[in-house]
Amino acid sequence: MAMEPMLLETMQQQVEEQCQFALTAIGGMNGCLGAMTELREQGAHRDMQKQSEVTDQLWFFANAFLTAVANIAKHLWPGRRLRKDVREAFPDRGVELRASLGVPDESPLDSRMVRNHFEHADERLEEWWIDNPQHNIARRTIGDARQAISLGPGMEMTFHSQFDPDRLTISFLGDEIELQPLADAISELYERATQATDPSVQFEKRRAEALERRNIEAEPT
């Protein structure tokens, strides 16, 4: 069955909130990138403490961003539910919510591979330990994810997580996600979600629906 208007609006509010969190994280990442540029220009990049502080902040905001995007995707493209009654009650919840917010099926927000790596980082570390016999790992690196580190013949490096400030990508175990398309999609979605949950817009919508029902009922049979 279709969602009741109140449930749909609550879902829209959830999406709006997560979009706001994601946009806040984007602002934080931009601030960190600006701080990195200043450090290089001032020659302060040799100050390892300052560099470490900025790097920590960058990864904090990156994780916050990916978490918010994952939460948005869970609302728009719901996965398997454990409760049968809930699954049967709202079989088209994702379709309805996406339609109400104008989200296309091919939206970049539905790309989950890199986000899943971060969410299941513990499992990925176990896999790395088994798959990389030398146990060489590079974590939270900043730079070009396409540039390999040579360790010598027969040696292999596992890139656990990497941020490329020039190409604006985050990669995890070789899988890469572009941040700008996500940021653009979230900005557009936030505007639509904000409008959808605006009290004045909702009032006018319900008023129009009530007038339409009244006119239909008033038509002679």
Side-chain angles (χ1 to χ4, degrees), residues 6-46:
M6 182 177 179
L7 177 57
L8 178 61
E9 184 178 350
T10 303
M11 289 281 183
Q12 292 169 337
Q13 290 171 344
Q14 286 283 109
V15 171
E16 177 190 10
E17 181 180 77
Q18 293 300 320
C19 285
Q20 189 174 20
F21 292 165
L23 292 173
T24 299
I26 290 173
M29 283 191 286
N30 286 334
C32 291
L33 293 175
M36 288 180 174
T37 300
E38 290 182 6
L39 287 174
R40 286 196 299 269
E41 292 176 349
Q42 298 171 3
H45 61 281
R46 299 182 182 88

Side-chain angles (χ1 to χ4, degrees), residues 136-138 141 145 147-149 157-162 171-174:
N136 298 314
I137 189 169
T141 56
Q147 189 174 10
I149 297 177
M157 173 66 76
T158 296
F159 288 92
H160 187 264
S161 49
Q162 192 165 15
S171 61
F172 198 111
L173 300 178

Side-chain angles (χ1 to χ4, degrees), residues 28-30 32-33 36 53-63 142 163:
M29 283 191 286
N30 286 334
C32 291
L33 293 175
M36 288 180 174
E53 290 175 356
V54 175
T55 299
D56 287 345
Q57 292 174 4
L58 176 64
W59 282 109
F60 169 81
F61 287 119
N63 275 272
I142 308 294
F163 185 94

